[in-house]
Amino acid sequence: MVRKVVGEPGGSSGDGFTAVRFGLDGVEFVIDLAPADAARLREFLGRYAVCARSVLREAEPVDPTVHPSPVRSRDVEELRAVRSWARGRGFSVSDRGRLPEAVLSAYDEAHPTARKGPATPRPKIWN
C-alpha cells in the first residue's frame, strides 16, 4: 500500500508521524502527519466538530455466502471425556471453560462414531 506522508518528520529516520483518522460525507480517512500538522488539522476540524452531532456508524453488510460455524453442544460427561482424552494426547486444557476448537476437532476425528450430528427434524403431522 502506498502512503503519502504530509509534513516533515522530527528526524531523518521517518519517525515522529502520527496517523490521524477523520470522516467526511460518509467516508473515513487516515492521514499520516507530523505532530505540528496533526495539531493544526485537529484545531481546524475542531471548530466544526463542536457544532456537529455524532452519528453511529452503520454496520458492515453481511456477506450472504459466509455461514457461521455451527455451535457444538456437548453434555458434561462428554466434555470430561474430551478433556481426559486431550490431556492424554499432550493437549493443554483447563479444568473449566470453553475447550479450544482444535481440541474438539481432534477429538471428533479420533472418535468418528462417538459424535452424533444434529438430529434431523421430523416433519410435523397435524391432525
Side-chain angles (χ1 to χ4, degrees), residues 53-76:
R53 55 190 179 276
S54 62
V55 179
L56 293 176
R57 273 199 289 186
E58 294 180 16
E60 294 290 322
V62 176
D63 184 353
T65 61
V66 176
H67 302 288
S69 58
V71 175
R72 298 179 186 221
S73 107
R74 301 178 189 253
D75 63 19
V76 174

Side-chain angles (χ1 to χ4, degrees), residues 4-76:
K4 182 176 181 182
V5 179
V6 179
E8 293 297 320
S12 60
S13 66
D15 294 336
F17 289 104
T18 184
V20 178
R21 181 182 303 265
F22 63 97
L24 179 65
D25 294 332
V27 178
E28 239 181 84
F29 299 93
V30 177
I31 186 170
D32 295 318
L33 296 173
D37 293 324
R40 279 198 300 271
L41 179 62
R42 286 187 175 104
E43 180 185 337
F44 178 78
L45 293 176
R47 291 184 230 154
Y48 297 95
V50 295
C51 301
R53 55 190 179 276
S54 62
V55 179
L56 293 176
R57 273 199 289 186
E58 294 180 16
E60 294 290 322
V62 176
D63 184 353
T65 61
V66 176
H67 302 288
S69 58
V71 175
R72 298 179 186 221
S73 107
R74 301 178 189 253
D75 63 19
V76 174

Side-chain angles (χ1 to χ4, degrees), residues 70-75 78 107-108 111-122:
V71 175
R72 298 179 186 221
S73 107
R74 301 178 189 253
D75 63 19
E78 185 179 13
Y107 180 83
D108 287 344
H111 302 86
T113 58
R115 184 75 179 139
K116 297 176 185 153
T120 48
R122 293 184 177 183

